[in-house]
C-alpha cells in the first residue's frame, strides 16, 4: 500500500501515521498520481516545503505527498516520494472518506 501524506510547510512537514493508505492503482485512478511527479527516493530526505517558514504549524497541511514503500515498488513505480499538485481538502473529496482524525487539514 502507498501512504498518502498531508504536509505542512516548515522543517517538520508531518508526523504520526499517514491519513490514508491505498494501492498505487487507486492513487492513480482517484488522485491522478503520475510517474513524472517523482521527487526523491526513500534513501534521501523526506520532502519538505518552505523549510524556513515559521507558519507551518499555524497554517496546517497544504501539500500532498505519496510515499511508495520498497515492497510496493514495481517496474512502473519506483520506491520513493511523489508530489501531488492538489490540496489535502481536494484529496479528501476525491477519496470520499475522512482521513485519520489527526491528519485533517486546517481549512
Amino acid at each position: 500500500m502507498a501512504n498518502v501524506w498531508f504536509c505542512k510547510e516548515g522543517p517538520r512537514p508531518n508526523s504520526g501515521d499517514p491519513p490514508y493508505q491505498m494501492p498505487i492503482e487507486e492513487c492513480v485512478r482517484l488522485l491522478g498520481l503520475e510517474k513524472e511527479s517523482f521527487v526523491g527516493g526513500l534513501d534521501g530526505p523526506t520532502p519538505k516545503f518552505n523549510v524556513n517558514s515559521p507558519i507551518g504549524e499555524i497554517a496546517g497541511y497544504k501539500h500532498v505527498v505519496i510515499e511508495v514503500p520498497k515492497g510496493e515498488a514495481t517496474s512502473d513505480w519506483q520506491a520513493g516520494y511523489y508530489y501531488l499538485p492538489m490540496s489535502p481538502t481536494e484529496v479528501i473529496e476525491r477519496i470520499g472518506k475522512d482521513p485519520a482524525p489527526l491528519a485533517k487539514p486546517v481549512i
Side-chain angles (χ1 to χ4, degrees), residues 2-3 6-7 13-14 25 39-40 46 63 71-72 80-81 86 98 106:
N3 297 308
F6 296 161
C7 301
N14 56 41
E25 296 79 19
V39 293
T46 302
H63 304 279
E72 296 293 315
Y81 300 103
M86 65 179 65
D98 285 338
V106 175

Side-chain angles (χ1 to χ4, degrees), residues 1-73:
M1 298 287 221
N3 297 308
V4 179
W5 292 99
F6 296 161
C7 301
K8 302 174 187 176
E9 295 189 350
R12 291 178 14 136
N14 56 41
S15 61
D17 295 327
Y20 297 104
Q21 292 185 314
M22 59 180 49
I24 295 170
E25 296 79 19
E26 288 293 295
C27 292
V28 172
R29 186 176 68 78
L30 293 174
L31 306 175
L33 179 64
E34 299 177 343
K35 296 172 203 163
E36 295 79 14
S37 61
F38 182 79
V39 293
L42 298 174
D43 296 334
T46 302
K48 292 181 174 62
F49 307 92
N50 300 323
V51 177
N52 296 320
S53 174
I55 66 165
E57 293 298 320
I58 298 167
Y61 299 107
K62 296 177 98 178
H63 304 279
V64 180
V65 172
I66 306 292
E67 175 191 8
V68 176
K70 288 182 181 177
E72 296 293 315

